[in-house]
Amino acid sequence: MEKPPFPNNVGSVIHQILNYIYILLIVIQFIMAMGNRPQGAKWSYVGCMIFFAFLMAYILFAAVWLTYIGVATALANAGGGASAVISLISKGPFRDIIISLASTYVMYFVASFLFFDPWHMFTSFIPYLFMTPSYTNVLNIYAFCNTHDVSWGTKGDNTVATDLGVVASKKDASGAQTVEVAVPTEQKDLNAAYEEACLDLQKTVVEAPQHRDAKTKQEDYYKGFRTRLVIFWITSNLILVAIITNAQLLHWFGNFTERSNSYFAFILWSVAGLSAFRFTGACCYLVFRIFTG
């Protein structure tokens, strides 16, 4: 960048620090989603969401700075007028950023004014921007990891022993609850109990074959499906990262800059297309409501 917002290599250091913290928090999200309820790990989730909000602020700052530098450079090189606009449009990354931002945020404002309900854009839009990364990094991970409500930590113990014996209590003359327990006191009784215990230890216990009931089989199926789904999701994302960042894979696809720009353009144009689709649907609904009441 010709005019970086930070001196020397400060921007690169900030990027690396945020990148490592982000990866760490993603791993933490998977761990918490597998074994913690949101109510039980409230402050852990709050801390992650605060960092994601800070990261969103950094991304917004970078987007605004790139837009400012791109416009200023194009105007300086073209000297203003129509040539400056053409110069801006000819720059692929800058064009993609502008179209994506306009198709998302500008359409939100336009649609809100069309429906005469723009107030939430002034009261909730800023919090929504800062919460957007949490919707992806927290809710998505939690949803994938909890495709079925699994109770972890049982170690395969699916049944509860209920035959624990019965203790009979009764009231004595004073009205207090008392319990009578038979305890051997004679030496011969103690010896007999010891010999009986030794005989029990010498017996070979034949394990009865375990059979899963229908409910347990259904739960195991849901658990297996959830596990395979999460593994497939993680693997597909890792493959995508490897393809984009590794220059040795699919070298015919271009170098790192070309790959990242292509992927970046695909994401931005996808966002623009989905936003246009939603905006079209909202306009159609508005027209139908006007004519049909």
Side-chain angles (χ1 to χ4, degrees):
M1 184 182 296
E2 297 179 359
K3 298 179 181 179
F6 304 105
N8 299 328
N9 295 325
V10 175
S12 178
V13 173
I14 294 176
H15 173 74
Q16 292 295 333
I17 293 175
L18 294 179
N19 190 30
Y20 286 125
I21 296 177
Y22 175 76
I23 295 175
L24 174 62
L25 292 184
I26 291 298
V27 175
I28 292 175
Q29 289 301 314
F30 277 99
I31 296 174
M32 291 195 301
M34 288 289 189
N36 297 86
R37 297 183 307 114
Q39 296 87 345
K42 176 181 177 181
W43 292 110
S44 298
Y45 278 106
V46 170
C48 292
M49 295 175 73
I50 290 175
F51 173 80
F52 291 142
F54 172 77
L55 187 62
M56 185 62 182
Y58 177 76
I59 293 174
L60 290 175
F61 166 76
V64 172
W65 184 264
L66 288 174
T67 304
Y68 166 73
I69 294 299
V71 173
T73 303
L75 292 177
N77 295 335
S83 58
V85 177
I86 296 175
S87 177
L88 287 174
I89 296 176
S90 63
K91 293 183 178 181
F94 177 79
R95 180 188 62 243
D96 297 339
I97 292 175
I98 294 300
I99 292 177
S100 179
L101 293 177
S103 62
T104 303
Y105 303 128
V106 175
M107 282 188 181
Y108 287 167
F109 278 96
V110 173
S112 64
F113 279 101
L114 287 176
F115 282 83
F116 297 103
D117 189 19
W119 317 118
H120 64 281
M121 296 299 296
F122 300 99
T123 58
S124 304
F125 186 64
I126 298 300
Y128 168 78
L129 286 180
F130 290 108
M131 290 289 293
T132 300
S134 297
Y135 298 148
T136 303
N137 297 289
V138 177
L139 297 184
N140 270 1
I141 293 177
Y142 189 84
F144 272 97
C145 293
N146 290 272
T147 307
H148 172 65
D149 188 13
V150 179
S151 178
W152 287 82
T154 58
K155 304 299 182 183
D157 186 10
N158 299 314
T159 59
V160 179
T162 56
D163 186 12
L164 301 178
V166 178
V167 176
S169 62
K170 62 181 180 179
K171 293 183 179 180
D172 57 9
S174 62
Q177 294 286 344
T178 60
V179 177
E180 293 183 358
V181 180
V183 179
T185 56
E186 298 291 336
Q187 184 64 34
K188 59 180 181 179
D189 295 335
L190 295 175
N191 293 336
Y194 176 75
E195 292 177 358
E196 183 179 358
C198 290
L199 292 176
D200 291 338
L201 292 175
Q202 294 175 0
K203 293 180 181 179
T204 302
V205 179
V206 179
E207 295 185 3
Q210 297 181 357
H211 299 283
R212 296 182 301 169
D213 55 9
K215 181 180 179 181
T216 304
K217 289 182 179 180
Q218 189 74 5
E219 291 179 354
D220 290 342
Y221 169 76
Y222 287 140
K223 294 176 184 179
F225 175 79
R226 186 278 319 278
T227 302
R228 291 190 295 270
L229 178 64
V230 173
I231 292 175
F232 174 78
W233 185 45
I234 295 175
T235 304
S236 61
N237 280 275
L238 291 178
I239 292 175
L240 178 62
V241 172
I243 292 175
I244 298 300
T245 59
N246 195 333
Q248 303 299 325
L249 296 175
L250 303 177
H251 56 85
W252 52 267
F253 193 63
N255 54 29
F256 171 75
T257 302
E258 294 173 345
R259 295 184 184 190
S260 58
N261 287 339
S262 299
Y263 177 71
F264 189 57
F266 171 77
I267 294 297
L268 294 179
W269 280 99
S270 299
V271 172
L274 292 175
S275 298
F277 179 78
R278 292 197 301 268
F279 182 76
T280 303
C283 292
C284 291
Y285 171 77
L286 182 61
V287 172
F288 291 153
R289 192 179 68 173
I290 292 174
F291 288 99
T292 61

